[in-house]
């Protein structure tokens, strides 16, 4: 068992390290675990639907957020946007 990592160019990397290892390595400033098997970069979220689906814009993929993580994800995402967006 390993982990597949998709980068912003949709390249796939297969690693033997478990998801827990990668979560510890990347931290939670720019990333959020939306499901037990998925961590996403908050930088690339382009849409959040009310039915618990997010769109990762650079990959043009829709991913489900677990019901348990939906409210915490939205809070983390909007806090991330507040802290990291630049006002023109």
């Amino acid at each position: 068992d390993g982990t597949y990592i998709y980068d912003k160019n949709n390249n796939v990397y297969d690693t033997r390290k478990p998801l827990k290892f990668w979560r510890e390595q990347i931290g939670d400033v720019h990333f959020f675990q939306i499901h037990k098997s998925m961590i996403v970069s908050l930088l690339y979220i382009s849409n959040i639907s009310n039915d618990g689906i997010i769109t990762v814009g650079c990959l043009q993929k829709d991913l489900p957020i677990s019901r348990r993580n939906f409210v915490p994800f939205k809070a983390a995402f909007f806090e991330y946007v507040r802290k990291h967006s630049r006002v023109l």
Side-chain angles (χ1 to χ4, degrees):
D1 273 351
T3 302
Y4 294 101
I5 299 171
Y6 292 80
D7 69 14
K8 67 181 182 178
N9 297 316
N10 213 13
N11 296 312
V12 181
Y13 304 93
D14 185 4
T15 173
R16 294 179 189 250
K17 303 283 186 186
L19 193 63
K20 181 179 179 182
F21 169 84
W22 293 110
R23 180 166 168 78
E24 292 168 355
Q25 294 298 307
I26 61 177
D28 59 0
V29 173
H30 301 284
F31 296 90
F32 191 90
Q33 188 164 357
I34 60 169
H35 194 274
K36 67 180 180 179
S37 62
M38 288 183 252
I39 298 172
V40 296
S41 170
L42 297 171
L43 177 63
Y44 296 105
I45 303 303
S46 60
N47 187 52
I48 305 169
S49 72
N50 288 331
D51 60 347
I53 303 291
I54 62 168
T55 302
V56 180
C58 61
L59 301 178
Q60 291 302 306
K61 290 190 180 209
D62 292 337
L63 302 173
I65 303 172
S66 69
R67 280 181 265 164
R68 183 185 74 160
N69 287 338
F70 186 63
V71 171
F73 170 79
K74 283 177 46 175
F77 177 74
F78 289 120
E79 179 65 14
Y80 177 82
V81 169
R82 186 184 70 73
K83 284 183 175 179
H84 296 93
S85 65
R86 293 186 173 96
V87 178
L88 298 176

